[in-house]
Structure formats: structure tokens, C-alpha cells
Amino acid sequence: KHCFIFNELDSTNNEAMKSTYPHYSLIIAEKQYAGKGRSGRKWVSDEGNLYFSIVLPPMPVEQLLPLNISTGYAICDALRNYADVSLKWPNDIVFNNKKLGGILIETKFSGNILEKIVLGIGINVNQLDFSHDIKEIATSLAIITERQYRTEEILWQILNNFEKNYTDLLKKRIDIIEKWCKYSMNFGKMIKIHLDGEKMELIEKGITDKGELIAVDHFGNERKIVLGDIYL
Ligand code: BTN
């Protein structure tokens, strides 16, 4: 509904947190000098890629993980028009095990009441060169497909998909589980995951309708994982 485009911001998520923006505002930056990733990491944000945040009205906190999952699905589905990208739970967009995009959801509470949600999305679109420290773990659409893109075109497709999934999510719980599994790079495979301070090897079996990762251990015990980082 309202779209705000900046040449440069510290972080579109920080900007979107400001109270001046009504729900469903879209904040876009051509680059960010303090882009944020999950778990306090930074998100390198040079020109040529997509960095945007959507301001969303509050939803029950149990819906935040489903929101993560269905947004990841929406992005992956849109990018599949260009390249064979995959999902990595909870919300990484990957190709050949290298990261192409990510989602950072931030919330604002007043007391214990959720007031607003900021959904931040970063996609490496046109970047051809990554700095030494992330070369091995980052990629872009341009690197994969050897062409350049109009970022608006990609943004448009992601937003279209997102809108559809988001309205479905509000009406019922996630109904994209099977489709999500098809896109997941680790479906049916062994994953290594940090759980309660322990590194564990599990087989990924799918996700629940709450967005939790289902995985089984060597003894066949099923586990549902709400929080954790899959590493390789
Ligand atoms: C991740 O660690 O995978 C999440 C990366 C999220 C990056 C996006 S870029 C737009 C928005 N603004 C930020 O500062 N971060 C998110």
C-alpha cells in the first residue's frame, strides 16, 4: 500500500520499526550500511541486491514461526522462476549449499503485547563478487544464472507470492508443508543441528503445521525442533 524507497539505510528493519510507518508499509533500500542477519550476524548489503522490510500488524506469537516458513516458501517459489534454489529450515534460501537470501523477523512489544512485526528480506540478486570472508558461503542469482536482473521484477514476484501465502496463513495454519518439503535441500537427508548446546545428527523428516522441524535420531526417536541452526 505504502512504498518507501531509500538509496541507503542502516537497515530496512530498523527503519520499518519507526512508528511513522502504517501496517503493510514496504521499506526498500538500495544498500544498507548496517544490514542485520539472524542471531546478531551482519548482512553484507552492497548495491545491486534486494533489501526490504514489510510492516505487519500483530499476530499470535505462535504464528511467527509459520510466518517464517511460509515467507521462505513464497520467496523460494518466486526465485524458482529463475534458478533451482532450495530452502533450509527455518528460513534460508540456498543454492548448492551457498546462501542466496534470508529472512529476519523482528517484533515490537509493549509490555507483553505484540504491537508490530517487521519482516525483513534480503536476496542476493546481481552481486558477482563477495568479500573474502563470505565467498565460500554466499551466492547470487547473477552468479548462478550468469545474467543480471531488474530487482523490481524479482521483488514484484516475491510480493505477489507472499501476499497469497500470508492471507492463507491468517485464515488457517500453514498448508504448504508438502510443497515446503519438496523445496527443502535436506529433506530425507542427514542434518547436523545444535540442540540444547549439543551437536546432533538427525534425519530431516519434514515440518509440522506449526513450522517446527521434524527430525529423527539414530534410535528412531522423533524430535520436533523449534529453534536451532542447521550447520554443515
Ligand atoms: C539471515 O540471517 O538469514 C537473515 C538476513 C536478513 C537480511 C534482510 S536485508 C533487509 C532486512 N534489513 C536488515 O537489516 N536485515 C533484513
Side-chain angles (χ1 to χ4, degrees):
K1 303 215 168 61
H2 305 270
C3 180
F4 305 86
I5 305 174
F6 296 83
N7 293 73
E8 186 172 25
L9 283 175
D10 55 344
S11 150
T12 56
N13 269 28
N14 292 354
E15 185 66 26
M17 264 305 166
K18 295 180 182 167
S19 49
T20 40
Y21 295 108
H23 293 151
Y24 302 110
S25 297
L26 174 66
I27 320 292
I28 306 170
E30 277 162 23
K31 53 184 174 182
Q32 302 181 118
Y33 55 84
K36 300 186 285 183
R38 293 202 309 139
S39 314
R41 289 182 286 255
K42 63 173 191 183
W43 187 258
V44 178
S45 307
D46 301 337
E47 223 163 335
N49 300 324
L50 267 176
Y51 313 105
F52 62 99
S53 301
I54 306 169
V55 180
L56 295 175
M59 51 176 22
V61 279
E62 322 80 78
Q63 288 272 59
L64 291 175
L65 186 53
L67 176 66
N68 250 304
I69 300 287
S70 67
T71 305
Y73 176 79
I75 297 170
C76 188
D77 198 44
L79 297 183
R80 283 219 169 191
N81 291 321
Y82 307 97
D84 200 14
V85 299
S86 300
L87 292 168
K88 188 165 137 195
W89 186 88
N91 57 18
D92 286 349
I93 314 292
V94 292
F95 181 85
N96 269 349
N97 230 344
K98 291 186 173 182
K99 194 144 157 171
L100 187 93
I103 302 167
L104 177 66
I105 294 183
E106 294 187 280
T107 47
K108 187 175 177 188
F109 281 86
S110 131
N112 49 20
I113 298 173
L114 182 55
E115 272 195 335
K116 101 186 210 176
I117 300 169
V118 167
L119 173 66
I121 297 172
I123 314 283
N124 298 332
V125 180
N126 289 313
Q127 190 160 358
L128 289 173
D129 242 344
F130 288 94
S131 64
H132 179 71
D133 50 325
I134 55 170
K135 241 193 174 73
E136 299 302 314
I137 54 166
T139 190
S140 69
L141 269 191
I143 292 175
I144 302 168
T145 60
E146 300 183 312
R147 56 162 280 209
Q148 295 282 300
Y149 294 86
R150 287 174 50 233
T151 47
E152 314 88 84
E153 178 187 322
I154 314 270
L155 174 66
W156 175 244
Q157 304 209 33
I158 291 175
L159 290 177
N160 262 335
N161 266 0
F162 170 75
E163 199 177 337
K164 200 169 68 213
N165 283 279
Y166 176 73
T167 35
D168 282 353
L169 183 69
L170 295 182
K171 276 186 281 178
K172 42 188 188 287
R173 295 215 255 190
I174 6 178
D175 62 352
I176 46 143
I177 294 179
E178 271 167 44
K179 293 192 274 180
W180 190 92
C181 291
K182 276 202 191 110
Y183 284 176
S184 172
M185 67 170 275
N186 288 316
F187 183 61
K189 298 194 185 132
M190 196 191 57
I191 50 171
K192 296 179 184 169
I193 192 156
H194 288 282
L195 262 185
D196 316 318
E198 227 187 305
K199 289 181 180 178
M200 299 196 61
E201 292 186 352
L202 303 166
I203 308 280
E204 181 177 308
K205 289 289 177 190
I207 50 170
T208 67
D209 58 3
K210 298 191 194 106
E212 305 145 311
L213 188 72
I214 307 171
V216 293
D217 64 19
H218 299 301
F219 307 107
N221 301 318
E222 196 174 278
R223 286 166 174 270
K224 286 181 186 150
I225 299 153
V226 187
L227 218 108
D229 254 327
I230 298 180
Y231 67 99
L232 295 145

